[in-house]
Amino acid sequence: MNIAELSIKRPTFIVVVFTVLAFLGIISYNSLRYELMPNIDLPIFIAVTVYPGANPSEVENSVTKILEEVLSGVPGVKNIRSVSRENASIVIVELKNGSDMEAAVNDGTRLANSARMRLPDDAYDPSVIKLNFNAMPILQYAVKADNISATDLHDLLTYRIMPEFSSIPGVGEVSTIASSQ
């Protein structure tokens, strides 16, 4: 007996089957989860050191190489890359998958701070930062007002608008960036 024959002989059975399938489809659709930004947790942290007034080669020789050497002692290191720019050193440490990120960042901070004595006196303390792509900004607003002064606008944003945004459930951080345009 094929489906056409079954449909003709037992139409009630076919209606019930398709009703159940439609009901299960609606339930399945409503239980689907979706995210605009999926959780991305890469095993990477960076060490940033500011060295004011230094050119890139001086930054590389007196800051970057020392931090690369010290941070290679963090357990689970897979790869170390660095960028030496004018006034700044950035060391990117990639860990093996499955490494304990919190322990690695703590070890990296401890090791970078212990290397502080080997860095030039003018260099700032190294900052070790865990990259967290889930904390990237989702919304950015620009505010411009022609009829009030810049200080009044700043006060309005800082003391009235920002607290309102901060009180919204799910908002992690609200910050301002001043512009003189």
Side-chain angles (χ1 to χ4, degrees), residues 34-61:
Y34 66 91
E35 295 182 22
L36 296 176
M37 292 285 292
N39 289 334
I40 301 171
D41 194 18
L42 298 176
I44 295 174
F45 69 88
I46 60 173
V48 179
T49 308
V50 176
Y51 185 14
N55 61 32
S57 63
E58 187 177 353
V59 169
E60 181 179 1
N61 292 328

Side-chain angles (χ1 to χ4, degrees), residues 135-143 157 165 171 173-177:
M136 300 287 273
I138 295 175
L139 289 175
Q140 292 183 349
Y141 288 105
V143 178
L157 288 172
F165 278 126
V171 173
E173 180 183 0
V174 178
S175 60
T176 61
I177 298 174

Side-chain angles (χ1 to χ4, degrees), residues 102-181:
E102 295 303 320
V105 170
N106 290 337
D107 288 344
T109 303
R110 182 181 50 78
L111 291 170
N113 288 335
S114 70
R116 178 65 181 109
M117 294 182 302
R118 295 172 53 194
L119 298 178
D121 292 336
D122 295 344
Y124 293 0
D125 291 338
S127 298
V128 177
I129 304 161
K130 175 185 171 186
L131 289 183
N132 186 358
F133 291 103
N134 299 323
M136 300 287 273
I138 295 175
L139 289 175
Q140 292 183 349
Y141 288 105
V143 178
K144 180 180 178 184
D146 294 328
N147 56 351
I148 63 173
S149 67
T151 55
D152 290 341
L153 179 61
H154 177 268
D155 290 345
L156 176 67
L157 288 172
T158 303
Y159 302 116
R160 300 273 317 263
I161 295 174
M162 284 178 53
E164 290 293 325
F165 278 126
S166 296
S167 66
I168 297 173
V171 173
E173 180 183 0
V174 178
S175 60
T176 61
I177 298 174
S179 176
S180 61
Q181 291 182 346

Side-chain angles (χ1 to χ4, degrees), residues 11 16 18-19 24 45 49 59-60 62-63 65 73 86 88 97 115 132 150 181:
V16 169
F18 280 103
T19 305
L24 291 175
F45 69 88
T49 308
V59 169
E60 181 179 1
S62 58
V63 177
K65 287 184 179 180
E86 190 170 332
N97 285 332
N132 186 358
Q181 291 182 346

Side-chain angles (χ1 to χ4, degrees), residues 46-49 59 64 68 81-85 88-92:
I46 60 173
V48 179
T49 308
V59 169
T64 304
E68 283 178 344
R81 291 172 294 194
S82 61
V83 177
S84 297
R85 297 188 180 215
S89 165
I90 302 169
V91 179
I92 304 161

